[in-house]
Amino acid sequence: MKIIAAAILPLLLAQAGCTLYHPKPLPTKPALLQRIPQVVDKGDLQPATHPFNPDDGLDMTEVAILAVANNPDLRTARDKQGIAASQLMAAGILPNPRLTAGLDHPFNAGPGYVNAFNLGLSYDVGTLVTRSAAVAAARSASRKVDWSLLWQEWQVVQKTRLLFVRSIEEEKMRLELQRYRDLLADRYHRADRAMQQGNLTIDAVSANLAELQKVRGRLAELERRHSQTGHELNALLGLAQDVPLSLTGGAELPLPDERGARELLDQLPHRRPDLLALQAGYASQEEQLRRAILAQFPALNIGLTRARDTSDINTYGFGVTLTLPVFDRNQGAIAVARATRRQLYDEYQARLDSAYSEAGNLLEQIALVRRQYREVEAALPRLEKVLGTAEAALAAGTMEFATFTTLRASLFEKRLEALTLEQSLLEQQAILQTVLGTDFRGLTDTPQIQLAPKREKR
């Protein structure tokens, strides 16, 4: 009895130091910020010379910093890092030894008999054979989570830049439409008064009115899109929908030249976080395969025993348990591990091919859109000059109003075309930076945030 009590006592003491359970209720309210946050401790955030000051509006870099710091999806993704770290810790923990104990009490026996007991301490040596592979697999899996999080941060930065560009360009289009609408409204009211006085036919007034209604409809549609862009940007930044955002500055998206882009393409496997994540996942699977191959060897369990029978004979013993690989040599697990490795190999190759194809297509599209944008920009001064001449001709009565209206509409459409091409060019440049992995230094180091004083909408 004393021996059994001495064996059980350490177990009770160890149990006293175990982790306790504490419930964590789910939230009942949204965690969206009600004010623009202020980054006060950037740590290693770069560029160090770029301040974060929401009081004077947010430029593209500041919006990207805020998105990385406060995006709700990124907060969830960062929790996976903790899970991966815990799995790595679990993979490195040695298995516990096994303690067995038993007691036999004789009854209906003559004098001289005592209580019998047995104690056994055993350990599964087989787990030590596969431990190094398990730890290596978990370490690579942890690196995969880190690279995957970094790639997700890149995606958030890219989406933030796209929404920033869209918001800025939509505002330019809105102002252009408003100016054209006001011009048409003024000309319509003048034409209507002239018609009431009998100095103008109804055809001219109708043409003005039709064009005015068309522009009003386009302006209303643009305002709806612009409002939706603002809501998407607030959601991406983890802000409540009623928090006003004051965007400032233009889209600064420097691009390498064609030679530099080709060099960056050759470095993709060493710079793109999604490719690095797949490499880490493949390395983890390699270790899983090695672990499965090591596990095909016979499982070995060794132990020590201490016993006493009812006739008071005490014994010490040594035991070995060996699993004979007659039917199951872990062929199933090995086959699954090899097939999974092949799948990851093909997945990496497909992602690498897609990255090169996407980058090549973007470089071609950017060159095309840039050429079209320059052509439109070059045509605008000529159209403006022609329209000025047409206005003078219209005032002198040497040009029909319908012809003048057509020229004026052409200039307006050409300005909108220039803005549309400008937006397309900037969006493609933002995507290309993500594809090539450029201009992201420091933006994906998580800063500490602190709420700034509440300010009124400007």
Side-chain angles (χ1 to χ4, degrees):
M1 291 293 293
K2 293 181 179 180
I3 296 178
I4 295 179
I8 295 177
L9 181 60
L11 297 179
L12 297 177
L13 294 176
Q15 186 67 25
C18 290
T19 303
L20 300 179
Y21 165 75
H22 299 285
K24 185 177 179 63
L26 290 172
T28 59
K29 296 181 181 179
L32 298 173
L33 297 180
Q34 301 299 319
R35 299 193 299 275
I36 300 290
Q38 176 75 50
V39 178
V40 294
D41 181 14
K42 299 179 183 179
D44 296 330
L45 191 65
Q46 297 293 330
T49 57
H50 196 102
F52 186 93
N53 183 14
D55 295 329
D56 59 359
L58 300 176
D59 60 21
M60 176 177 281
T61 302
E62 289 173 310
V63 172
I65 292 173
L66 178 56
V68 173
N70 197 50
N71 179 261
D73 293 334
L74 287 182
R75 287 202 301 267
T76 303
R78 291 184 183 108
D79 293 337
K80 295 181 181 179
Q81 286 185 303
I83 296 175
S86 300
Q87 291 172 339
L88 176 59
M89 180 188 68
I93 297 176
L94 292 173
N96 293 320
R98 177 176 296 179
L99 176 67
T100 59
L103 176 67
D104 292 325
H105 177 70
F107 64 95
N108 294 333
Y113 288 93
V114 297
N115 290 332
F117 69 87
N118 62 84
L119 289 174
L121 182 65
S122 62
Y123 194 80
D124 186 3
V125 181
T127 56
L128 300 179
V129 177
T130 61
R131 179 179 178 273
S132 63
V135 172
R139 185 177 294 111
S140 295
S142 179
R143 287 199 298 267
K144 177 185 177 181
V145 172
D146 294 338
W147 286 120
S148 297
L149 172 61
L150 182 59
W151 178 243
Q152 191 168 345
E153 290 176 343
W154 282 27
Q155 298 297 304
V156 169
V157 171
Q158 173 188 297
K159 189 172 182 180
T160 302
R161 288 174 167 176
L162 290 176
L163 290 174
F164 182 92
V165 167
R166 190 181 305 167
S167 180
I168 294 296
E169 296 302 314
E170 285 173 348
E171 179 64 17
K172 291 180 181 179
M173 293 181 186
R174 188 182 69 84
L175 294 176
E176 186 66 35
L177 280 167
Q178 283 183 342
R179 284 193 294 267
Y180 191 46
R181 179 203 60 188
D182 296 341
L183 174 64
L184 290 176
D186 180 65
R187 289 189 177 275
Y188 166 70
H189 292 309
R190 290 184 182 183
D192 185 58
R193 287 195 299 268
M195 185 185 69
Q196 298 297 334
Q197 296 170 2
N199 298 326
L200 198 62
T201 64
I202 191 173
D203 294 338
V205 179
S206 299
N208 251 321
L209 180 60
E211 191 175 0
L212 176 60
Q213 295 301 325
K214 179 181 178 180
V215 171
R216 282 176 174 172
R218 294 175 67 174
L219 180 59
E221 175 62 26
L222 179 61
E223 287 175 342
R224 286 192 293 269
R225 293 204 315 267
H226 191 52
S227 176
Q228 180 62 31
T229 300
H231 286 305
E232 292 179 11
L233 187 54
N234 272 39
L236 193 67
L237 300 179
L239 303 175
Q241 292 300 318
D242 58 349
V243 176
L245 273 179
S246 177
L247 304 182
T248 185
E252 298 178 1
L253 297 168
L255 287 178
D257 55 20
E258 184 175 353
R259 181 180 178 181
R262 297 301 174 186
E263 292 178 355
L264 290 173
L265 273 176
D266 294 336
Q267 300 170 8
L268 278 186
H270 310 292
R271 65 185 302 118
R272 275 269 297 260
D274 61 329
L275 295 175
L276 293 170
L278 290 175
Q279 292 172 21
Y282 187 80
S284 176
Q285 187 56 36
E286 286 275 21
E287 294 298 332
Q288 292 288 6
L289 176 58
R290 187 168 74 91
R291 181 183 182 186
I293 292 175
L294 291 174
Q296 70 182 321
F297 295 100
L300 179 64
N301 191 295
I302 60 175
L304 301 173
T305 59
R306 166 78 166 87
R308 183 182 69 186
D309 62 14
T310 55
S311 61
D312 201 16
I313 298 177
N314 291 266
T315 60
Y316 294 96
F318 175 79
V320 176
T321 302
L322 184 66
T323 301
L324 300 178
V326 177
F327 303 107
D328 182 11
R329 294 183 298 277
N330 213 32
Q331 306 99 313
I334 293 174
V336 170
R338 280 178 173 161
T340 303
R341 183 180 66 173
R342 181 63 191 181
Q343 176 193 349
L344 294 177
Y345 180 93
D346 292 338
E347 182 180 351
Y348 177 79
Q349 185 66 65
R351 182 71 64 87
L352 186 61
D353 295 345
S354 175
Y356 275 82
S357 299
E358 186 179 5
N361 179 59
L362 282 170
L363 288 171
E364 183 178 342
Q365 291 299 317
I366 287 174
L368 177 61
V369 174
R370 183 177 291 165
R371 184 172 64 252
Q372 294 173 345
Y373 178 71
R374 289 172 179 170
E375 292 174 355
V376 172
E377 283 286 292
L380 281 175
R382 295 194 297 269
L383 280 174
E384 291 171 352
K385 183 177 180 180
V386 170
L387 185 63
T389 304
E391 286 181 341
L394 181 66
T398 59
M399 175 177 284
E400 294 183 358
F401 187 79
T403 305
F404 173 77
T405 301
T406 302
L407 286 174
R408 185 179 58 194
S410 298
L411 176 60
F412 165 70
E413 294 295 342
K414 189 61 68 174
R415 286 173 177 168
L416 287 185
E417 182 183 358
L419 290 174
T420 302
L421 289 172
E422 182 179 85
Q423 177 180 339
S424 177
L425 182 60
L426 290 172
E427 288 179 349
Q428 288 175 342
Q429 289 178 185
I431 297 173
L432 181 62
Q433 284 192 339
T434 305
V435 172
L436 294 179
T438 62
D439 196 33
F440 280 94
R441 288 178 305 226
L443 284 179
T444 52
D445 292 330
T446 306
Q448 301 295 320
I449 62 174
Q450 177 176 316
L451 290 181
K454 191 171 184 180
R455 57 193 178 91
E456 299 297 328
K457 183 175 182 180
R458 290 186 265 176

